[in-house]
Amino acid sequence: MEKFDLIVIGSGPGGYVAAIRAAQLGYKTAIVEKYNTLGGTCTNVGCIPTKALLDSTHQYAEALTKFNKHGIEIQKMALNQQQMYRRKEEVVQKTTQGLTFLMKKNDITTFQGIAHFTSNTTLTVTSSTGVLTQLEADKIIIATGSKPATLPGITVDKKRIITSTEALTLVEQPKSILIIGGGVIGVEMASIFNRMGTEVTILEYAPTLLATMDTELGKTLQKLLKKEQINILLEQSVYAVENLGEQARVKFKDKQGVEHQLDADYVLLAVGRRPYTEGLGLENTEVTLDEKGYIKTNAHLQTQAGNIYAIGDVIGGAMLAHKAEEEAVFVIEIINGQKPHIHYNRIPSVVYTWPEIASVGATEQELIQQNITYTIGKFPFSANARARASMDTEGFAKVLVDPQYGEILGVHIIGARAADLIAQAVVALEYEVTAKDMFSISYAHPTFAEVLKEAYRLAGGYPAINI
Ligand code: FAD
Ligand code: NAD
């Protein structure tokens, strides 16, 4: 039995960050990962490969639609899907190799295999070659993440009925794809396939895309994706999917209960993700689950078994890599007797469509529901010089502000580079900076960030300069 101060199960953004922080604080640390590479969902089949493909297809779309206007003439342009996917694999590989390096650099012992609890403090690890190792630790962090959810009665056969994981390795470009779910995965995957020339249909249950974000974002995205020929059907409830051999068929009902069906080469299920605890042997511990299968934790992310903690997708909340990372640092510092904190409502969300979408803090719908009064400052990218220079004039930044103290309550952006712009809004919310403070500082010109400066002006009750 090999003994450690701390063992982390799972090497996604939650697990590997926890292991590194623990090692930095002097704990003898091990990490156990079921797969042959480190990095979890995010690095292997999530954030990283999707962003690689979103970037490649974005460049292709730009070349097709904007290069002429720039005065760049390309006589013959073709998409080499195999090369595009090879590059994506290289990006993933470099990232997983980087993580292996970081484990070594921090003296973290890595075990490849499935971790299975035998008690609150002991584990067996069964490697893919069948080697069994027994481990013991004072503290154990569960960071086993999530898997794609399915719908009742619908089986993912990984042939015609697939999830985002299989979509990332399709060897040939489908002629058509039906995506069930217009959430984050749905719209990112729709963008990738549509830009490659696949006929894309999104079927979504809610009345807007990206239903959990400020509704103006989803509505604006819907218009932009429609313009790019993505077929979007809202308020549709999918109840059956069949593999027809060469194609798959989706059956769904509209709001009035009328039944419809559509066929496509592939059906991609993107209806959320579920916590992953299978094979962990939690029955041998005091760890408990809630009714949806998430591991139950207290405010210190500690489970019912006092020495076992859980972080990331497996405990629920926003299923985001950076949320898992925040929890990783938090939990190790708690174990270390420090006093860290996480402001969950100041964790940003980003959707990597083009234009990008990014959000932090309260949505208008949440403020209305909570009877909180607010003022809005909204500024369009079309009135921004930098946006005009690169023909990225779609979208807006919207800032929601408390009228009494000027505190910023929420920032919602759809527009070029929103993913990077949101970082300064997170600072504003975290440190309760006012809208006036935010526009009273200098912004480089011409930059996309000036859209935010103008939105802060408007939200603070000052007229915009450039409109
Ligand atoms: P995971 O990353 O899921 O890692 C868990 C690890 O635990 C896995 O490697 C698994 O093999 C391992 N494991 C499970 N059980 C065991 C066991 N018994 N023994 C050993 N190992 C085990 N989030 C973002 O913030 N930005 C994005 O752009 C983004 N894009 C995404 C795109 C897609 C297509 C998907 C599916 C997700 C995306 N996400 C994104 C979400 C993000 O991937 C997750 O929120 C994040 O990976 C959660 O991290 P985690 O550490 O909790 O778990
Ligand atoms: P999601 O919860 O964002 O969206 C799922 C959608 O499916 C919802 O809009 C829901 O209304 C719809 N749906 C459910 N049942 C349906 C039915 N029967 N018929 C039609 N529509 C139905 O989940 P997701 O898009 O699968 O993403 C999973 C998680 O991964 C998310 O929590 C997200 O945070 C994370 N993720 C993040 C990023 C990012 O940060 N850029 C990218 C991808 C995934």
Side-chain angles (χ1 to χ4, degrees):
M1 178 91 64
E2 212 170 327
K3 176 122 204 273
F4 291 88
D5 296 333
L6 192 144
I7 296 175
V8 181
I9 307 175
S11 70
Y16 84 77
V17 172
I20 292 173
R21 190 70 191 116
Q24 285 173 345
L25 291 173
Y27 296 102
K28 184 183 175 202
T29 306
I31 189 163
V32 187
E33 172 54 56
K34 181 173 148 181
Y35 292 129
N36 291 323
T37 54
L38 301 176
T41 303
C42 180
T43 309
N44 292 284
V45 292
C47 329
I48 304 304
T50 51
K51 265 76 263 180
L53 289 181
L54 279 158
D55 198 67
S56 295
T57 55
H58 174 61
Q59 308 229 20
Y60 180 55
E62 293 275 293
L64 284 176
T65 58
K66 288 188 181 165
F67 274 21
N68 264 343
K69 196 109 195 236
H70 279 289
I72 305 168
E73 290 173 11
I74 298 177
Q75 299 308 331
K76 193 168 167 260
M77 191 161 47
L79 186 131
N80 180 341
Q81 196 205 335
Q82 283 183 358
Q83 169 55 22
M84 196 177 271
Y85 276 58
R86 237 189 332 264
R87 190 195 78 93
K88 178 255 307 173
E89 280 309 310
E90 281 166 18
V91 174
V92 170
Q93 213 179 47
K94 281 220 169 78
T95 316
T96 59
Q97 284 166 352
L99 293 176
T100 305
F101 164 78
L102 287 176
M103 294 305 115
K104 284 203 183 103
K105 184 188 154 201
N106 287 285
D107 270 334
I108 297 161
T109 310
T110 306
F111 293 94
Q112 186 281 316
I114 299 174
H116 181 91
F117 281 97
T118 44
S119 74
N120 279 345
T121 54
T122 55
L123 295 168
T124 59
V125 178
T126 312
S127 79
S128 45
T129 53
V131 179
L132 198 82
T133 312
Q134 293 191 326
L135 302 178
E136 186 181 358
D138 297 333
K139 306 276 187 228
I140 300 178
I141 318 283
I142 303 175
T144 50
S146 62
K147 290 279 175 207
T150 52
L151 293 171
I154 297 175
T155 312
V156 172
D157 63 14
K158 301 191 179 183
K159 293 186 178 100
R160 293 284 155 197
I161 307 164
I162 61 174
T163 69
S164 55
T165 304
E166 294 74 46
L168 290 168
T169 50
L170 284 184
V171 280
E172 58 188 47
Q173 186 199 326
K175 284 199 187 65
S176 56
I177 194 162
L178 277 162
I179 299 176
I180 307 176
V184 197
I185 293 185
V187 298
E188 288 188 356
M189 285 291 168
S191 300
I192 292 173
F193 284 108
N194 177 56
R195 292 171 193 162
M196 294 199 304
T198 299
E199 190 189 314
V200 179
T201 302
I202 298 176
L203 291 166
E204 166 57 51
Y205 185 73
T208 55
L209 295 176
L210 303 172
T212 56
M213 298 185 94
D214 193 287
T215 54
E216 223 178 332
L217 298 173
K219 283 183 182 159
T220 308
L221 180 69
Q222 184 187 343
K223 282 187 203 140
L224 296 173
L225 294 184
K226 275 200 159 164
K227 255 192 355 205
E228 290 172 13
Q229 312 302 325
I230 294 179
N231 186 21
I232 299 166
L233 302 173
L234 299 172
E235 299 187 272
Q236 310 292 333
S237 174
V238 171
Y239 62 90
V241 185
E242 275 171 59
N243 181 335
L244 306 173
E246 294 296 296
Q247 285 207 312
R249 173 166 296 161
V250 174
K251 294 184 175 170
F252 53 101
K253 283 185 192 163
D254 63 24
K255 217 167 56 164
Q256 284 72 38
V258 180
E259 295 185 1
H260 304 267
Q261 65 178 45
L262 283 172
D263 296 349
D265 289 357
Y266 291 94
V267 171
L268 193 166
L269 224 61
V271 292
R273 293 178 62 85
R274 61 176 176 82
Y276 186 58
T277 53
E278 277 97 10
L280 251 185
L282 291 182
E283 60 283 4
N284 301 322
T285 69
E286 287 163 284
V287 174
T288 51
L289 304 180
D290 72 11
E291 63 289 348
K292 290 185 174 158
Y294 292 104
I295 293 181
K296 272 200 208 169
T297 57
N298 64 18
H300 285 174
L301 305 182
Q302 188 177 30
T303 68
Q304 282 293 113
N307 70 311
I308 303 177
Y309 295 74
I311 57 174
D313 283 9
V314 78
I315 64 167
M319 286 189 165
L320 296 172
H322 44 286
K323 176 259 191 189
E325 290 176 9
E326 290 306 311
E327 290 179 340
V329 172
F330 173 89
V331 89
I332 299 298
E333 293 184 353
I334 285 282
I335 289 171
N336 191 242
Q338 301 181 27
K339 290 193 168 53
H341 75 280
I342 300 178
H343 279 150
Y344 281 100
N345 67 346
R346 284 153 199 185
I347 291 179
S349 294
V350 171
V351 186
Y352 295 81
T353 44
W354 195 266
E356 291 174 340
I357 296 174
S359 208
V360 63
T363 64
E364 267 201 85
Q365 296 70 46
E366 284 165 352
L367 295 177
I368 292 166
Q369 205 179 23
Q370 293 163 33
N371 262 329
I372 297 173
T373 50
Y374 59 94
T375 55
I376 303 180
K378 192 173 156 192
F379 193 83
F381 275 65
S382 57
N384 173 274
R386 177 67 187 83
R388 278 196 299 272
S390 62
M391 290 190 277
D392 286 311
T393 51
E394 314 276 17
F396 58 84
K398 178 164 94 173
V399 176
L400 307 173
V401 165
D402 165 48
Q404 200 181 354
Y405 301 108
E407 185 183 341
I408 299 163
L409 305 171
V411 176
H412 308 281
I413 312 168
I414 176 165
R417 308 212 190 144
D420 296 297
L421 292 179
I422 203 68
Q424 60 118 292
V426 175
V427 177
L429 263 83
E430 181 68 36
Y431 296 102
E432 298 174 6
V433 173
T434 66
K436 188 164 188 287
D437 293 328
M438 287 307 287
F439 70 73
S440 304
I441 52 174
S442 173
Y443 287 56
H445 176 74
T447 55
F448 294 111
E450 289 171 293
V451 171
L452 270 176
K453 182 169 182 161
E454 295 280 28
Y456 290 129
R457 281 187 75 85
L458 291 164
Y462 290 74
I465 303 290
N466 288 295
I467 206 163

